[in-house]
PDB file of all heavy atoms in Angstrom:
ATOM      1  N   GLY A  31      -0.957   8.373   3.415  1.00 97.00           N
ATOM      2  CA  GLY A  31       0.144   9.364   3.773  1.00 97.00           C
ATOM      3  C   GLY A  31      -0.331  10.277   4.792  1.00 97.00           C
ATOM      4  O   GLY A  31       0.412  10.651   5.687  1.00 97.00           O
ATOM      5  N   GLU A  32      -1.570  10.712   4.804  1.00 97.00           N
ATOM      6  CA  GLU A  32      -2.207  11.528   5.952  1.00 97.00           C
ATOM      7  C   GLU A  32      -2.284  10.751   7.262  1.00 97.00           C
ATOM      8  O   GLU A  32      -1.911  11.362   8.304  1.00 97.00           O
ATOM      9  CB  GLU A  32      -3.449  12.045   5.544  1.00 97.00           C
ATOM     10  CG  GLU A  32      -3.556  13.032   4.353  1.00 97.00           C
ATOM     11  CD  GLU A  32      -4.961  13.482   3.868  1.00 97.00           C
ATOM     12  OE1 GLU A  32      -5.520  14.308   4.521  1.00 97.00           O
ATOM     13  OE2 GLU A  32      -5.456  12.812   2.930  1.00 97.00           O
ATOM     14  N   ILE A  33      -2.664   9.537   7.152  1.00 97.00           N
ATOM     15  CA  ILE A  33      -2.652   8.748   8.418  1.00 97.00           C
ATOM     16  C   ILE A  33      -1.220   8.536   8.993  1.00 97.00           C
ATOM     17  O   ILE A  33      -0.926   8.722  10.223  1.00 97.00           O
ATOM     18  CB  ILE A  33      -3.212   7.358   8.080  1.00 97.00           C
ATOM     19  CG1 ILE A  33      -4.684   7.380   7.576  1.00 97.00           C
ATOM     20  CG2 ILE A  33      -3.092   6.453   9.408  1.00 97.00           C
ATOM     21  CD1 ILE A  33      -5.665   8.009   8.386  1.00 97.00           C
ATOM     22  N   VAL A  34      -0.206   8.152   8.179  1.00 97.00           N
ATOM     23  CA  VAL A  34       1.083   8.110   8.576  1.00 97.00           C
ATOM     24  C   VAL A  34       1.754   9.341   9.198  1.00 97.00           C
ATOM     25  O   VAL A  34       2.292   9.328  10.221  1.00 97.00           O
ATOM     26  CB  VAL A  34       1.935   7.527   7.340  1.00 97.00           C
ATOM     27  CG1 VAL A  34       3.467   7.579   7.809  1.00 97.00           C
ATOM     28  CG2 VAL A  34       1.571   6.209   6.944  1.00 97.00           C
ATOM     29  N   ALA A  35       1.409  10.492   8.502  1.00 97.00           N
ATOM     30  CA  ALA A  35       1.852  11.761   9.128  1.00 97.00           C
ATOM     31  C   ALA A  35       1.256  12.045  10.359  1.00 97.00           C
ATOM     32  O   ALA A  35       1.893  12.586  11.358  1.00 97.00           O
ATOM     33  CB  ALA A  35       1.488  12.855   8.159  1.00 97.00           C
ATOM     34  N   ALA A  36      -0.023  11.667  10.666  1.00 97.00           N
ATOM     35  CA  ALA A  36      -0.781  11.877  11.934  1.00 97.00           C
ATOM     36  C   ALA A  36      -0.045  10.991  13.013  1.00 97.00           C
ATOM     37  O   ALA A  36       0.161  11.578  14.191  1.00 97.00           O
ATOM     38  CB  ALA A  36      -2.249  11.615  11.790  1.00 97.00           C
ATOM     39  N   VAL A  37       0.323   9.791  12.668  1.00 96.00           N
ATOM     40  CA  VAL A  37       1.020   9.008  13.678  1.00 96.00           C
ATOM     41  C   VAL A  37       2.343   9.480  13.916  1.00 96.00           C
ATOM     42  O   VAL A  37       2.758   9.636  15.125  1.00 96.00           O
ATOM     43  CB  VAL A  37       1.113   7.505  12.981  1.00 96.00           C
ATOM     44  CG1 VAL A  37       2.002   6.714  14.082  1.00 96.00           C
ATOM     45  CG2 VAL A  37      -0.289   6.869  12.900  1.00 96.00           C
ATOM     46  N   ARG A  38       2.986   9.990  12.962  1.00 96.00           N
ATOM     47  CA  ARG A  38       4.441  10.507  13.287  1.00 96.00           C
ATOM     48  C   ARG A  38       4.419  11.802  13.947  1.00 96.00           C
ATOM     49  O   ARG A  38       5.290  12.222  14.562  1.00 96.00           O
ATOM     50  CB  ARG A  38       5.045  10.629  12.047  1.00 96.00           C
ATOM     51  CG  ARG A  38       5.458   9.184  11.322  1.00 96.00           C
ATOM     52  CD  ARG A  38       6.230   9.322   9.983  1.00 96.00           C
ATOM     53  NE  ARG A  38       6.409   7.987   9.497  1.00 96.00           N
ATOM     54  CZ  ARG A  38       6.844   7.664   8.283  1.00 96.00           C
ATOM     55  NH1 ARG A  38       7.150   8.719   7.490  1.00 96.00           N
ATOM     56  NH2 ARG A  38       7.120   6.377   7.981  1.00 96.00           N
ATOM     57  N   SER A  39       3.220  12.515  14.009  1.00 96.00           N
ATOM     58  CA  SER A  39       3.104  13.759  14.738  1.00 96.00           C
ATOM     59  C   SER A  39       2.390  13.523  15.989  1.00 96.00           C
ATOM     60  O   SER A  39       2.109  14.506  16.746  1.00 96.00           O
ATOM     61  CB  SER A  39       2.327  14.729  13.902  1.00 96.00           C
ATOM     62  OG  SER A  39       0.921  14.421  13.884  1.00 96.00           O
ATOM     63  N   GLY A  40       2.239  12.266  16.422  1.00 95.00           N
ATOM     64  CA  GLY A  40       1.848  12.005  17.894  1.00 95.00           C
ATOM     65  C   GLY A  40       0.531  11.111  18.158  1.00 95.00           C
ATOM     66  O   GLY A  40       0.251  10.795  19.142  1.00 95.00           O
ATOM     67  N   ALA A  41      -0.090  10.911  17.119  1.00 94.00           N
ATOM     68  CA  ALA A  41      -1.303  10.097  17.209  1.00 94.00           C
ATOM     69  C   ALA A  41      -1.016   8.658  17.567  1.00 94.00           C
ATOM     70  O   ALA A  41      -0.269   8.027  16.776  1.00 94.00           O
ATOM     71  CB  ALA A  41      -2.277  10.099  15.966  1.00 94.00           C
ATOM     72  N   THR A  42      -1.581   8.090  18.664  1.00 94.00           N
ATOM     73  CA  THR A  42      -1.201   6.755  19.071  1.00 94.00           C
ATOM     74  C   THR A  42      -2.480   5.925  19.220  1.00 94.00           C
ATOM     75  O   THR A  42      -2.361   4.700  19.674  1.00 94.00           O
ATOM     76  CB  THR A  42      -0.410   6.772  20.414  1.00 94.00           C
ATOM     77  OG1 THR A  42      -1.260   7.393  21.435  1.00 94.00           O
ATOM     78  CG2 THR A  42       0.860   7.460  20.247  1.00 94.00           C
ATOM     79  N   THR A  43      -3.635   6.399  18.931  1.00 92.00           N
ATOM     80  CA  THR A  43      -4.919   5.678  19.001  1.00 92.00           C
ATOM     81  C   THR A  43      -5.655   5.865  17.797  1.00 92.00           C
ATOM     82  O   THR A  43      -5.555   6.868  17.072  1.00 92.00           O
ATOM     83  CB  THR A  43      -5.687   6.033  20.274  1.00 92.00           C
ATOM     84  OG1 THR A  43      -6.116   7.378  20.162  1.00 92.00           O
ATOM     85  CG2 THR A  43      -4.976   5.772  21.600  1.00 92.00           C
ATOM     86  N   GLY A  46      -7.277   9.295  18.334  1.00 93.00           N
ATOM     87  CA  GLY A  46      -6.303  10.354  17.886  1.00 93.00           C
ATOM     88  C   GLY A  46      -6.188  10.528  16.368  1.00 93.00           C
ATOM     89  O   GLY A  46      -6.179  11.649  16.006  1.00 93.00           O
ATOM     90  N   LEU A  47      -6.195   9.385  15.638  1.00 93.00           N
ATOM     91  CA  LEU A  47      -6.140   9.518  14.188  1.00 93.00           C
ATOM     92  C   LEU A  47      -7.461  10.233  13.715  1.00 93.00           C
ATOM     93  O   LEU A  47      -7.405  11.055  12.736  1.00 93.00           O
ATOM     94  CB  LEU A  47      -6.000   8.256  13.584  1.00 93.00           C
ATOM     95  CG  LEU A  47      -4.727   7.540  13.607  1.00 93.00           C
ATOM     96  CD1 LEU A  47      -4.811   6.142  13.045  1.00 93.00           C
ATOM     97  CD2 LEU A  47      -3.626   8.272  12.883  1.00 93.00           C
ATOM     98  N   ARG A  50      -7.106  13.965  14.228  1.00 95.00           N
ATOM     99  CA  ARG A  50      -6.143  14.645  13.492  1.00 95.00           C
ATOM    100  C   ARG A  50      -6.484  14.712  11.982  1.00 95.00           C
ATOM    101  O   ARG A  50      -6.011  15.573  11.249  1.00 95.00           O
ATOM    102  CB  ARG A  50      -4.808  14.134  13.654  1.00 95.00           C
ATOM    103  CG  ARG A  50      -4.186  14.385  15.005  1.00 95.00           C
ATOM    104  CD  ARG A  50      -2.948  13.511  15.391  1.00 95.00           C
ATOM    105  NE  ARG A  50      -2.615  13.593  16.708  1.00 95.00           N
ATOM    106  CZ  ARG A  50      -1.654  14.350  17.177  1.00 95.00           C
ATOM    107  NH1 ARG A  50      -1.017  15.078  16.451  1.00 95.00           N
ATOM    108  NH2 ARG A  50      -1.470  14.270  18.540  1.00 95.00           N
ATOM    109  N   THR A  51      -7.233  13.724  11.491  1.00 96.00           N
ATOM    110  CA  THR A  51      -7.382  13.501  10.047  1.00 96.00           C
ATOM    111  C   THR A  51      -8.837  13.452   9.592  1.00 96.00           C
ATOM    112  O   THR A  51      -9.143  13.633   8.431  1.00 96.00           O
ATOM    113  CB  THR A  51      -6.802  12.160   9.555  1.00 96.00           C
ATOM    114  OG1 THR A  51      -7.525  11.030  10.118  1.00 96.00           O
ATOM    115  CG2 THR A  51      -5.287  12.141   9.801  1.00 96.00           C
ATOM    116  N   MET A  67      -6.952   1.630   9.265  1.00 95.00           N
ATOM    117  CA  MET A  67      -6.295   2.686  10.215  1.00 95.00           C
ATOM    118  C   MET A  67      -5.609   1.934  11.357  1.00 95.00           C
ATOM    119  O   MET A  67      -4.454   2.352  11.693  1.00 95.00           O
ATOM    120  CB  MET A  67      -7.364   3.628  10.749  1.00 95.00           C
ATOM    121  CG  MET A  67      -7.951   4.584   9.800  1.00 95.00           C
ATOM    122  SD  MET A  67      -9.459   5.447  10.257  1.00 95.00           S
ATOM    123  CE  MET A  67      -9.103   5.984  11.994  1.00 95.00           C
ATOM    124  N   ILE A  70      -2.291   0.456   9.925  1.00 96.00           N
ATOM    125  CA  ILE A  70      -1.230   1.444   9.700  1.00 96.00           C
ATOM    126  C   ILE A  70      -0.701   1.872  11.009  1.00 96.00           C
ATOM    127  O   ILE A  70       0.531   2.056  11.106  1.00 96.00           O
ATOM    128  CB  ILE A  70      -1.803   2.601   8.917  1.00 96.00           C
ATOM    129  CG1 ILE A  70      -2.252   2.179   7.478  1.00 96.00           C
ATOM    130  CG2 ILE A  70      -0.820   3.758   8.803  1.00 96.00           C
ATOM    131  CD1 ILE A  70      -3.100   3.163   6.705  1.00 96.00           C
ATOM    132  N   LEU A  71      -1.462   2.053  12.041  1.00 94.00           N
ATOM    133  CA  LEU A  71      -1.151   2.511  13.336  1.00 94.00           C
ATOM    134  C   LEU A  71      -0.195   1.487  13.905  1.00 94.00           C
ATOM    135  O   LEU A  71       0.859   1.799  14.480  1.00 94.00           O
ATOM    136  CB  LEU A  71      -2.449   2.687  14.217  1.00 94.00           C
ATOM    137  CG  LEU A  71      -2.212   3.420  15.635  1.00 94.00           C
ATOM    138  CD1 LEU A  71      -1.614   4.928  15.343  1.00 94.00           C
ATOM    139  CD2 LEU A  71      -3.531   3.502  16.206  1.00 94.00           C
ATOM    140  N   ALA A  72      -0.563   0.199  13.847  1.00 95.00           N
ATOM    141  CA  ALA A  72       0.299  -0.904  14.356  1.00 95.00           C
ATOM    142  C   ALA A  72       1.677  -0.944  13.677  1.00 95.00           C
ATOM    143  O   ALA A  72       2.739  -1.162  14.289  1.00 95.00           O
ATOM    144  CB  ALA A  72      -0.493  -2.176  14.317  1.00 95.00           C
ATOM    145  N   GLU A  73       1.624  -0.789  12.382  1.00 95.00           N
ATOM    146  CA  GLU A  73       2.839  -0.902  11.604  1.00 95.00           C
ATOM    147  C   GLU A  73       3.711   0.265  11.885  1.00 95.00           C
ATOM    148  O   GLU A  73       5.019   0.128  12.164  1.00 95.00           O
ATOM    149  CB  GLU A  73       2.573  -0.853  10.056  1.00 95.00           C
ATOM    150  CG  GLU A  73       2.028  -2.135   9.512  1.00 95.00           C
ATOM    151  CD  GLU A  73       1.536  -1.997   8.136  1.00 95.00           C
ATOM    152  OE1 GLU A  73       1.606  -0.862   7.419  1.00 95.00           O
ATOM    153  OE2 GLU A  73       1.036  -2.944   7.527  1.00 95.00           O
ATOM    154  N   GLU A  74       3.281   1.472  12.042  1.00 95.00           N
ATOM    155  CA  GLU A  74       4.041   2.690  12.227  1.00 95.00           C
ATOM    156  C   GLU A  74       4.599   2.662  13.673  1.00 95.00           C
ATOM    157  O   GLU A  74       5.736   3.157  13.991  1.00 95.00           O
ATOM    158  CB  GLU A  74       3.234   3.928  12.060  1.00 95.00           C
ATOM    159  CG  GLU A  74       2.986   4.167  10.546  1.00 95.00           C
ATOM    160  CD  GLU A  74       4.213   4.504   9.800  1.00 95.00           C
ATOM    161  OE1 GLU A  74       5.034   5.312  10.251  1.00 95.00           O
ATOM    162  OE2 GLU A  74       4.441   4.005   8.754  1.00 95.00           O
ATOM    163  N   LEU A  75       3.767   2.188  14.654  1.00 96.00           N
ATOM    164  CA  LEU A  75       4.328   2.057  16.035  1.00 96.00           C
ATOM    165  C   LEU A  75       5.034   0.860  16.415  1.00 96.00           C
ATOM    166  O   LEU A  75       5.443   0.700  17.446  1.00 96.00           O
ATOM    167  CB  LEU A  75       3.137   2.394  16.948  1.00 96.00           C
ATOM    168  CG  LEU A  75       2.372   3.725  16.832  1.00 96.00           C
ATOM    169  CD1 LEU A  75       1.127   3.731  17.703  1.00 96.00           C
ATOM    170  CD2 LEU A  75       3.356   4.903  17.081  1.00 96.00           C
TER     171      LEU A  75
END
Side-chain angles (χ1 to χ4, degrees):
E32 292 174 86
I33 302 292
V34 170
V37 173
R38 292 180 181 170
S39 71
T42 58
T43 63
L47 285 177
R50 291 171 193 259
T51 65
M67 289 169 42
I70 295 166
L71 194 57
E73 288 172 0
E74 287 296 312
L75 298 176

